[in-house]
Amino acid sequence: MTLLERIKDYKKVVLVDCVIPRLPGERLIVLHTDDLLSFPPTHSSAHSWGIAEALHLGHMLVPEMKTIQLTLIGIAGKDFSIGEKISHEVQNSLPGAVELIQKAVIS
């Protein structure tokens, strides 16, 4: 619930996270509120919820959250093990991610 509490009073939110790519060779992924809400909620443990599930819950519990313009910028990663160093692929994607963040903030 912490994420929802942190974003509920903003009009625009940009989240940046490492993600599992959907397509081979995909390095950067941009998803907006409508994209995230189009993902069906999963029926897994609340301890493993992602952004889409949290957003669905936020829209149900706090109707005012429906006005938030949320952009998720995902940087494709491979190894999500704790303590692993940043990979060359992720490092090489950072300049493009910074450009996407700037566009999302300015738009």
Side-chain angles (χ1 to χ4, degrees), residues 11-24:
K11 293 181 182 183
K12 185 183 287 191
V13 174
V14 179
L15 298 173
V16 181
D17 201 0
C18 223
V19 297
I20 299 170
R22 299 173 292 180
L23 303 171

Side-chain angles (χ1 to χ4, degrees), residues 52-73:
E53 290 88 359
L55 195 57
H56 277 282
L57 180 62
H59 281 207
M60 288 189 303
L61 297 177
V62 185
E64 298 81 26
M65 286 188 67
K66 291 180 181 179
T67 62
I68 295 174
Q69 296 175 28
L70 190 136
T71 303
L72 171 66
I73 298 171

Side-chain angles (χ1 to χ4, degrees), residues 11-99:
K11 293 181 182 183
K12 185 183 287 191
V13 174
V14 179
L15 298 173
V16 181
D17 201 0
C18 223
V19 297
I20 299 170
R22 299 173 292 180
L23 303 171
E26 193 170 39
R27 300 294 268 273
L28 296 168
I29 300 164
V30 178
L31 298 170
H32 301 281
T33 304
D34 291 342
D35 302 319
L36 292 164
L37 289 173
S38 71
F39 295 162
T42 62
H43 299 293
S44 62
S45 163
H47 297 286
S48 64
W49 278 15
I51 302 299
E53 290 88 359
L55 195 57
H56 277 282
L57 180 62
H59 281 207
M60 288 189 303
L61 297 177
V62 185
E64 298 81 26
M65 286 188 67
K66 291 180 181 179
T67 62
I68 295 174
Q69 296 175 28
L70 190 136
T71 303
L72 171 66
I73 298 171
I75 303 171
K78 285 193 262 185
D79 188 349
F80 297 92
S81 302
I82 294 174
E84 286 300 311
K85 293 183 179 181
I86 188 170
S87 70
H88 293 291
E89 293 87 1
V90 170
Q91 272 184 322
N92 293 338
S93 296
L94 292 179
V98 169
E99 285 183 38

